[in-house]
Amino acid sequence: MGRPRDTRVDEAILAATRELLARHGYAGLTVDAVAEHAGIGKAAIYRRYATKQEMVFAAAVHRSDLAPPPDTGSLRGDLTCLVEDIVATLGNPAASSAVLGLLADLGAPSALADRFHASFVTSQRAVVAELMDRAVARGELGAPPDVDLVHALLAGPVFATLYLQRRRPDGLAERLGRMVAETLRLEDRAAGHGGHATGSAAGSTTA
């Protein structure tokens, strides 16, 4: 049985990565510099992250152990909370320094892209699946929708607002949460799955 991981080292790595991203940007950040700034050996980083890209994503956006937002009692409320989380993670200064560079590194099919998908995209997908399962359990949806499509419907507009349109995301979470919830219910009824809006689901939001 191995030694328990030192969470102080975890936090030192993430804090150093964020600080160096702010100073030098994504292209200027190296694992060597993070190790020196954190006061640790480079091996400690590679025990946690196989690549610079995984380390940067964990520091700037989110770690691989992603938790779903609290149950608000409605699909619309849950989606609104999730979009608020996405806005917060993609809109923070460290993410703004890193996201476009990360996407450039991860754009082509490769072992790096596969590792990234397994570590981070899979955890995002699991969060969306949890919210869809809640909606089915409440009776708001008759069957779970396409989780990958819902994931894209939530993350895509946030990315476009922040990085393509360069607009402030004021009110985006509430509007997008409402639109996606209404679309999913319409699609569910059109597919004949029998979902229906419950009392809590019909409210504006409980986020």
Side-chain angles (χ1 to χ4, degrees):
M1 192 172 175
R3 294 178 298 174
R5 202 162 83 175
D6 189 341
T7 58
R8 293 172 299 179
V9 174
D10 293 340
E11 293 305 321
I13 293 169
L14 299 178
T17 302
R18 286 189 285 265
E19 290 176 25
L20 293 176
L21 280 171
R23 291 186 197 175
H24 306 298
Y26 175 75
L29 182 141
T30 66
V31 173
D32 285 330
V34 171
E36 181 179 356
H37 194 73
I40 60 173
K42 191 163 63 171
I45 294 177
Y46 284 118
R47 281 197 294 270
R48 292 160 172 81
Y49 306 106
T51 65
K52 164 187 166 177
Q53 289 79 11
E54 291 174 47
M55 177 186 69
V56 169
F57 194 89
V61 186
H62 68 72
R63 304 186 196 192
S64 58
D65 52 343
L66 192 61
D71 189 336
T72 67
S74 75
L75 175 60
R76 178 174 171 178
D78 283 0
L79 291 175
T80 298
C81 281
L82 182 54
V83 176
E84 287 174 346
D85 288 347
I86 296 170
V87 168
T89 55
L90 289 182
N92 74 73
S96 297
S97 299
V99 165
L100 295 180
L102 280 168
L103 289 178
D105 282 352
L106 298 167
S110 64
L112 173 61
D114 290 344
R115 281 186 56 85
F116 179 85
H117 189 280
S119 297
F120 297 105
V121 177
T122 298
S123 65
Q124 296 170 6
R125 189 182 185 281
V127 168
V128 175
E130 167 68 20
L131 268 58
M132 297 305 99
D133 289 343
R134 290 178 191 172
V136 172
R138 296 187 197 106
E140 295 176 89
L141 300 176
D146 182 331
V147 171
D148 291 320
L149 180 57
V150 178
H151 181 202
L153 286 171
L154 297 171
V158 178
F159 179 86
T161 298
L162 294 174
Y163 292 96
L164 301 182
Q165 300 168 353
R166 296 190 175 277
R167 292 191 295 117
R168 291 176 58 85
D170 299 335
L172 178 62
E174 185 175 350
R175 295 197 306 273
L176 187 56
R178 181 185 69 248
M179 291 172 64
V180 174
E182 290 175 355
T183 298
L184 292 177
R185 286 196 289 264
L186 285 171
E187 288 292 312
D188 189 74
R189 288 197 292 272
H193 292 147
H196 60 278
T198 64
S200 61
S204 60
T205 181
T206 54

